[in-house]
Amino acid sequence: MYQLRVESEFSAAHFLSSYQGKCENLHGHNYRVRLWIRGTDLDQSGMLLDFSLLRRALDKVLETLDHKNLNDIPIFDNNPSAERIAAYIYGGIKDQFASLGLESTLIEGVDVFENQKSMARYTEPN
C-alpha cells in the first residue's frame, strides 16, 4: 500500500456560535491542511498520483476558504469547526477528483490544523 501526502494552507476568520468561551468571538487562523491519498497501483511512471496534481486540486478547494469569514459560508451552519472544515475540504477534493476522472476511493483523509497543537481529520465512513 502506498500513501501520499500534500499540504497547503489558507487564512480565514470564524467564530463558533454554539460555543461558550473565547472561540465564540470572531478570530482568525492560519490553517494548515494535509491531504492524504492511499492506493496500491502505480502508473507507468511509478507514481500513485502526481504530487503537483494533488496540490492543484487541494489549492483549488482552499481558494474557496482563503481570506473569508467562514461563518458566511452556509454549509458550515454558522459553526465552522475544524471538523466541518475538514469534511468540506474532503468533499471538494472528491469533486476535483471526479472532474479529473480520478477515483475518489484513493482519498484517505484530510487533516485541518488550526495551530501546531490542534488538528481535526475527516475520512469517509466505510
Side-chain angles (χ1 to χ4, degrees):
M1 185 65 64
Y2 300 96
Q3 286 186 315
L4 302 180
R5 185 192 87 193
V6 295
E7 60 183 78
S8 192
E9 53 195 32
F10 71 98
S11 299
H14 78 141
F15 61 90
L16 301 175
S17 62
S18 297
Y19 185 84
Q20 294 182 346
K22 62 183 181 176
C23 291
E24 68 186 333
N25 299 313
L26 182 64
H27 63 283
H29 295 283
N30 293 316
Y31 292 93
R32 176 162 299 283
V33 179
R34 291 181 178 161
L35 168 62
W36 292 88
I37 305 298
R38 180 179 175 158
T40 57
D41 299 323
L42 302 181
D43 66 14
Q44 293 177 338
S45 300
M47 295 186 291
L48 182 59
L49 284 174
D50 186 334
F51 285 125
S52 64
L53 177 76
L54 294 174
R55 278 192 299 274
R56 276 196 311 271
L58 179 58
D59 287 342
K60 186 158 182 126
V61 175
L62 297 186
E63 284 176 9
T64 66
L65 303 173
D66 192 38
H67 284 79
K68 302 273 175 36
N69 178 346
L70 301 180
N71 293 76
D72 293 339
I73 301 173
I75 196 166
F76 295 133
D77 195 27
N78 214 30
N79 279 302
S81 63
E83 294 88 342
R84 286 181 168 166
I85 296 166
Y88 172 85
I89 295 168
Y90 189 104
I93 295 296
K94 277 183 74 172
D95 292 345
Q96 288 294 309
F97 271 42
S99 72
L100 295 168
L102 299 172
E103 292 292 325
S104 66
T105 56
L106 293 170
I107 306 167
E108 183 174 355
V110 170
D111 299 339
V112 172
F113 290 80
E114 285 191 344
N115 58 48
Q116 293 179 347
K117 297 178 182 179
S118 301
M119 178 213 83
R121 171 175 278 188
Y122 181 83
T123 60
E124 285 223 317
N126 292 332

